């Protein structure tokens, strides 16, 4: 089955596209990545997405407009990749852009992704799976992190407790350990707060700390780090999830104002250095609590050598590698995850693991927008896959 996965995350810097060929062989699901790419958003679309990610009231016309524009952008991206590769897709899975993820007293009450899938189905004639989080939320789950099902299958043969770590706007881990149930949750910010400071320093609306240069030019501020680490979210039990509804500009400014009142205005590069260590420390604290002996990382944060060095320093002897070493390009992981969720739903299999998100049961992910022809779903296999093998 050929599935195109589309992912845009909390960094909102572009659309990740992966074309995956999936085939079940016994209890093993073989996955070959036929193509993967990142398609940058046009400036006006990126700016409007970032406006929606700030926790403030916005016009309904902005939500509706971005929903349609992002849908058309995704449709063009899929049409382009199918034309260039000559691949005939069976399904497209579009995550869409999360613009709200509401949490009250640790319980997710709603999650909202936009990027109208009908544009993709109409442009390509291929059915589209979308809204992949809501069913899990309705069953009492967090709707996140969805990566847990891919991580669980990819690390099924791990001999020691191993954490799959994704460093996007938000950091999340999936811990797979022999003889123990898999656990997964968001640990806190990865690039979300770092990106905010990078944009303030450079004046560029979509800047990030390229190659860790901004963090390398600063020094960690212990008092600021301690204040940031006092965030109550870090002490919550799993399952839990978070996003830019918590880790946003006003949140950062509150901490910076407290620091400035006691110590004077901080150097912006020192703030970036401190936020980089915050990301590493909050990830490593959770890895230690779970007895993790190895880490397999993915996401944009793996391209920041200062952040990766901080992770390795905090972890000590535990090795840190990327999913590239397992055959899965780190930049393609989340879009490939969407393809996997599509394969599972198409074959009547849940896209979440029991207990991982907090849902009362595993749920089929998403809803389907038909393509040009009638829907003909796959037959459920005799048993779900037990492991995932990436075919190079």
């Amino acid at each position: 089955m050929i599935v195109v996965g589309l992912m845009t995350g909390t960094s909102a810097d572009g659309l990740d596209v992966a074309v995956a060929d999936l085939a079940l062989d016994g209890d093993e699901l073989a996955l070959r990545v036929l193509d993967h790419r990142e398609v940058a958003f046009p400036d006006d679309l990126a700016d409007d997405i970032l406006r929606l990610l700030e926790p403030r009231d916005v016009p309904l016309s902005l939500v509706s407009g971005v929903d349609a524009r992002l849908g058309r952008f995704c449709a063009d991206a899929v049409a382009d990749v199918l034309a260039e590769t000559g691949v005939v897709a069976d399904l497209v899975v579009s995550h869409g852009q999360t613009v709200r993820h509401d949490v009250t007293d640790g319980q997710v009450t709603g999650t909202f992704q936009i990027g109208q899938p009908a544009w993709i189905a109409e442009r390509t004639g291929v059915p589209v799976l979308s809204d992949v989080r809501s069913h899990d939320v309705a069953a009492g789950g967090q709707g996140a992190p969805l990566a847990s099902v891919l991580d669980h299958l990819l690390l099924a043969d791990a001999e020691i407790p191993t954490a799959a770590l994704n460093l996007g706007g938000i950091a999340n881990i999936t811990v797979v350990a022999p003889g123990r149930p898999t656990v997964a949750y968001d640990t806190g910010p990865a690039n979300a707060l770092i990106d905010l400071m990078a944009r303030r320093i450079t004046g560029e609306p979509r800047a990030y700390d390229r190659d860790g240069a901004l963090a390398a030019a600063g020094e960690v501020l212990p008092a600021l780090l301690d204040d940031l680490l006092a965030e109550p979210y870090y002490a919550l039990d799993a399952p839990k999830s978070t996003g830019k509804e918590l880790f946003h500009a006003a949140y950062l400014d509150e901490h910076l104002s407290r620091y400035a009142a006691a110590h004077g205005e901080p150097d912006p590069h020192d703030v970036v250095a401190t936020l980089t260590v915050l990301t590493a420390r909050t990830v490593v604290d959770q890895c230690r609590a779970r007895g993790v002996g190895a880490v397999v990382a993915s996401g944009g944060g793996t391209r920041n050598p200062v952040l990766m060095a901080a992770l390795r320093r905090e972890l000590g002897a535990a090795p840190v590698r990327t999913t590239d070493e397992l055959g899965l390009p780190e930049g393609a992981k989340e879009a490939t995850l969407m393809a996997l969720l599509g394969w599972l739903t198409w074959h009547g299999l849940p896209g979440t693991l029991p207990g991982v998100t907090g849902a009362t049961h595993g749920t089929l992910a998403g809803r389907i927008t038909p393509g040009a022809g009638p829907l003909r779903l796959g037959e459920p296999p005799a048993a779900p896959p037990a492991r995932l093998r990436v075919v190079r």
Side-chain angles (χ1 to χ4, degrees):
M1 182 177 182
I2 306 295
V3 187
V4 180
L6 307 177
M7 182 71 192
T8 175
T10 50
S11 295
D13 48 2
L15 178 71
D16 291 331
V17 183
V19 183
D21 184 355
L22 298 113
L24 187 62
D25 182 10
D27 69 349
E28 183 177 80
L29 185 61
L31 181 150
R32 185 189 301 273
V33 179
L34 303 179
D35 189 274
H36 70 92
R37 60 187 69 183
E38 181 180 7
V39 186
F41 291 137
D43 290 348
D44 59 340
L45 179 57
D47 289 343
D48 285 343
I49 289 174
L50 290 172
R51 286 176 62 194
L52 292 176
L53 295 184
E54 287 296 320
R56 60 170 64 99
D57 291 340
V58 296
L60 183 57
S61 59
L62 179 63
V63 180
S64 175
V66 173
D67 182 49
R69 288 155 59 200
L70 181 57
R72 291 193 293 269
F73 182 86
C74 292
D76 290 343
V78 174
D80 287 347
V81 74
L82 294 181
E84 292 172 21
T85 61
V87 168
V88 177
D90 299 296
L91 179 68
V92 175
V93 184
S94 180
H95 176 272
Q97 178 66 58
T98 299
V99 293
R100 290 294 305 176
H101 191 73
D102 297 314
V103 184
T104 303
D105 296 329
Q107 182 67 43
V108 175
T109 55
T111 187
F112 183 37
Q113 288 77 40
I114 61 174
Q116 177 52 246
W119 293 99
I120 307 171
E122 180 63 22
R123 175 73 188 276
T124 65
V126 180
V128 182
L129 184 76
S130 61
D131 194 19
V132 293
R133 298 183 186 271
S134 292
H135 198 173
D136 182 74
V137 171
Q142 296 282 315
L146 293 176
S148 57
V149 64
L150 187 152
D151 297 333
H152 174 81
L153 294 173
L154 189 63
L155 301 178
D157 297 322
E159 296 180 351
I160 61 173
T162 301
L165 165 66
N166 186 66
L167 295 168
I170 301 298
N172 59 67
I173 59 170
T174 303
V175 180
V176 181
R180 289 175 10 204
T182 293
V183 296
Y185 50 94
D186 293 339
T187 60
N191 297 305
L193 299 180
I194 297 171
D195 288 350
L196 284 171
M197 285 305 302
R199 289 159 188 168
R200 293 177 181 183
I201 291 171
T202 64
E204 299 174 7
R206 288 171 295 285
Y208 60 96
D209 190 7
R210 186 184 297 273
D211 298 324
L214 300 177
E219 296 183 359
V220 175
L221 302 171
L224 177 60
L225 179 60
D226 288 344
D227 189 37
L228 289 162
L229 286 170
E231 164 57 49
Y233 176 80
Y234 303 133
L236 294 176
D237 293 331
K240 59 181 179 178
S241 60
T242 189
K244 286 193 174 180
E245 292 75 27
L246 175 59
F247 297 109
H248 51 69
Y251 172 91
L252 178 59
D253 287 340
E254 181 181 344
H255 288 275
L256 295 180
S257 295
R258 274 202 298 270
Y259 181 89
H263 305 279
E265 202 68 34
D267 181 281
H269 293 87
D270 292 346
V271 176
V272 178
T274 305
L275 294 172
T276 301
V277 171
L278 172 72
T279 293
R281 183 74 58 81
T282 50
V283 167
V284 171
D285 284 349
Q286 294 303 313
C287 287
R288 287 177 176 157
R290 301 285 174 182
V292 167
V295 173
V296 180
S298 62
T302 62
R303 300 166 217 155
N304 181 332
V306 177
L307 174 55
M308 294 302 288
L311 277 169
R312 290 186 170 99
R313 185 171 61 249
E314 296 280 344
L315 278 167
V320 180
R321 51 182 175 156
T322 69
T323 55
D324 294 83
E325 297 177 52
L326 303 182
L328 182 59
E330 62 82 15
K333 182 187 173 186
E334 289 195 295
T336 302
L337 164 65
M338 292 301 112
L340 171 62
L341 289 176
W343 185 92
L344 291 169
T345 294
W346 202 256
H347 292 87
L349 298 171
T352 55
L353 303 172
V356 169
T357 66
T360 56
H361 55 87
T363 58
L364 295 177
R367 50 183 171 175
I368 298 175
T369 302
L375 286 172
R376 296 185 178 90
L377 301 185
E379 286 292 324
R387 57 187 41 79
L388 179 70
R389 176 171 57 92
V390 180
V391 181
R392 304 187 189 224

